Amino acid sequence: MSDLLGQVHAAAGPYLESLSARPVQDPDALSLLAELGGPLPASGDPAEVVERLLRIGTAAGTASAGPRFFHFVTGGVTPAALAADWAAALLDQNAFSKISSPFAHEVETVALDWLRQLFGLPASWGGALVASATFANFTSLGCATHWWGFQHGVDTAEDGLTDLPRMPVLSSGYVHASARKALQMLGHGRNSVTVCARDAVGRADLAGMRRHLESLRGAPAVLIANAGEVNAGDFDPVAELADLASEYGCWLHVDGAFGLFAALSPRTEHLVRGIDRADSIAADAHKWLNVPYESGFALVRDQSRLGAAFGMPGAAYLPGPGDPASGYALYGPESSRRARSLPIWATLAAYGRDGHREMVERHLDLARRLAALVDAAPELERLADVPLNIVCFRVAPPGDADLDDLNRRVGAALLRDGRVYAGTTVYDGKVALRPAIVNWRTTEADIDLFVAVVRELAATVGAARS
């Protein structure tokens, strides 16, 4: 065992030191992936297996933990979080309950309390650590579903959705696919969201929402506020949606996968003003908190909602609700659970409120630097303001008649090239790039290189189309 772990330790140093300079993806190394397959071995040499995995992974793996990965709003991993994640694998705790691991339970309790403090939420709020923002949306909207059923006199945890009307869900055009997936898994359907948008971008139509709520004639509904839209980092007006929720007796859920971290800086905290009036909040830790995958969290105003929605049916050998030996498995979708609290606890303990605020503000500065470089380049066009950490722009040389095709080709060329990584999207009907800056390692030099590579590849692609 020590020898095998020694192999990983020996590979870790060179790999981590290479992240600041290596390409995000080495196209030539992808041929190594063929060495992973073949018939299932009858037996093998563990040392050779680990050596092969490390050799292929350090060469062909996507360096998403490095400073030049700007795709998907993917964070890096702080040193304290990485060490704690190794410790989580070493200790191999089942964070099911207090009885399965008092240690993991206490770390999770402290981590959730620190997350509440980080975002300025009251100590009375409850929470659950889950695998992702999708699971955080699932957990939050699961609580909303139980609340909604209760308004109709039905315990949906006991009896499901049978004989109930469809749960009204309203959001702006910024509603994310993960919220729709959560509603899909909860049995409401991905198309249960009524989108109230006042333009093609998706900005919230509050008057339209009000009219729809009036038409429900007092029936309970769920509102989804989006804190950090994925294409340009824009925000729904959370406080105004909280006013609507209060007026019409709605459940307000805030999808703050990465945008919730705007609360950390005085420069951006106004963007999430009103989150303390929500009923539930979903966010990712493996984005802007910079802890390893898989790590998300749901925060809920009323802790009892979690137990009501996700408590397990009785079993003689398991602690049930109210049992002093129970734990967080009764507050979320997973039962046997990895101790994913350890990296969160470690990064918050090591760098604290000030360290994470400084990281967010450094990324705000880098986003503004990127926007300025785009604005200064004659063949680039910024498509949106930059309220947070995403810069939405496209390649737009004068005289090109098909900019959508050009930008699709440039986006594909970026991924093939591998020096930097960013994907395309469609914003206001235009194909665009939308790099997101959330990695603690990213510097001004990485931003400058990104723009230089985009311009270089745009020129190459443009010449090939001529």
Side-chain angles (χ1 to χ4, degrees):
M1 181 73 78
S2 296
D3 289 344
L4 296 178
L5 294 176
Q7 289 178 256
V8 178
H9 181 266
Y15 178 75
L16 293 171
E17 290 169 5
S18 75
L19 284 175
S20 293
R22 67 183 295 152
V24 177
Q25 186 72 73
D26 180 356
D28 295 333
L30 295 179
S31 62
L32 295 172
L33 300 180
E35 298 182 36
L36 296 169
L40 174 67
S43 63
D45 175 5
E48 185 279 326
V49 168
V50 173
E51 184 279 329
R52 184 175 9 143
L53 189 66
L54 290 168
R55 175 173 52 81
I56 296 171
T58 55
T62 304
S64 53
R68 298 169 186 167
F69 189 96
F70 303 111
H71 208 358
F72 304 125
V73 198
T74 297
V77 182
T78 63
L82 178 57
D85 197 59
W86 286 18
L90 171 68
L91 300 174
D92 196 24
Q93 302 291 285
N94 180 1
F96 171 82
S97 67
K98 293 179 188 176
I99 198 67
S100 63
S101 176
F103 166 70
H105 180 88
E106 184 61 22
V107 174
E108 185 159 352
T109 299
V110 174
L112 283 166
D113 181 52
W114 285 353
L115 287 170
R116 285 191 292 263
Q117 293 182 48
L118 188 68
F119 301 114
L121 296 171
S124 58
W125 279 55
L129 300 184
V130 293
S132 64
T134 300
F135 266 100
N137 277 324
F138 178 84
T139 303
S140 299
L141 293 170
C143 291
T145 298
H146 191 268
W147 165 86
W148 170 79
F150 185 78
Q151 310 308 304
H152 290 277
V154 174
D155 184 340
T156 57
E158 292 279 351
D159 301 315
L161 303 176
T162 304
D163 298 328
L164 284 169
R166 194 171 206 180
M167 186 175 81
V169 183
L170 283 71
S171 185
S172 73
Y174 292 161
V175 63
H176 192 263
S178 66
R180 290 186 181 276
K181 182 174 182 177
L183 291 165
Q184 167 188 323
M185 293 189 292
L186 288 163
H188 301 293
R190 70 183 72 167
N191 294 326
S192 61
V193 181
T194 297
V195 172
C196 300
R198 57 186 168 89
D199 56 27
V201 170
R203 296 180 181 92
D205 178 3
L206 296 178
M209 284 191 184
R210 178 179 292 277
R211 288 192 298 270
H212 192 89
L213 291 170
E214 288 284 354
S215 74
L216 295 176
R217 299 183 182 277
V222 174
L223 305 183
I224 299 177
N226 302 281
E229 179 266 346
V230 294
N231 289 325
D234 198 11
F235 285 69
D236 284 336
V238 179
E240 294 176 70
L241 286 169
D243 290 339
L244 269 183
S246 177
E247 181 179 350
Y248 289 92
C250 302
W251 180 284
L252 176 62
H253 169 60
V254 176
D255 183 353
F258 66 93
L260 184 61
F261 288 81
L264 273 60
S265 171
R267 293 161 53 181
T268 51
E269 62 183 356
H270 65 281
L271 296 170
V272 291
R273 193 165 295 140
I275 58 169
D276 57 321
R277 298 168 59 198
D279 295 285
S280 59
I281 300 171
D284 258 331
H286 56 233
K287 286 186 168 62
W288 222 336
L289 196 64
N290 278 237
V291 303
Y293 282 92
E294 305 159 339
S295 186
F297 54 93
L299 301 174
V300 180
R301 173 191 293 275
D302 182 355
Q303 173 79 28
S304 68
R305 293 286 179 197
L306 288 163
F310 293 100
M312 296 176 66
Y317 74 103
L318 295 176
D323 189 321
S326 66
Y328 289 103
L330 303 185
Y331 298 142
E334 299 163 285
S335 297
S336 296
R337 306 161 67 248
R338 190 175 190 267
R340 59 172 61 96
S341 59
L342 270 62
I344 295 175
W345 179 91
T347 203
L348 290 174
Y351 312 114
R353 185 191 308 275
D354 290 349
H356 287 89
R357 184 194 70 247
E358 290 166 5
M359 177 177 64
V360 165
E361 292 183 339
R362 186 169 67 253
H363 292 155
L364 297 177
D365 291 339
L366 290 173
R368 280 144 189 77
R369 181 183 184 88
L370 174 54
L373 290 171
V374 168
D375 292 343
E379 79 279 27
L380 303 181
E381 177 189 15
R382 184 157 56 88
L383 299 179
D385 293 336
V386 184
L388 202 65
N389 64 327
I390 297 176
V391 181
C392 185
F393 71 97
R394 66 176 178 172
V395 178
D400 195 302
D402 192 348
L403 293 179
D404 284 351
D405 175 71
L406 173 62
N407 280 275
R408 287 191 188 96
R409 291 172 182 264
V410 171
L414 272 174
L415 300 183
R416 285 194 306 271
D417 179 83
R419 283 174 288 172
V420 296
Y421 234 55
T424 57
T425 189
V426 177
Y427 181 80
D428 195 19
K430 304 176 180 70
V431 176
L433 299 168
R434 33 82 72 192
I437 304 166
V438 285
N439 191 303
W440 70 272
R441 295 176 180 268
T442 303
T443 67
E444 291 183 352
D446 299 309
I447 298 300
D448 295 350
L449 176 65
F450 174 76
V451 174
V453 170
V454 169
R455 298 184 71 182
E456 172 194 327
L457 294 178
T460 302
V461 170
R465 291 167 73 237
S466 299

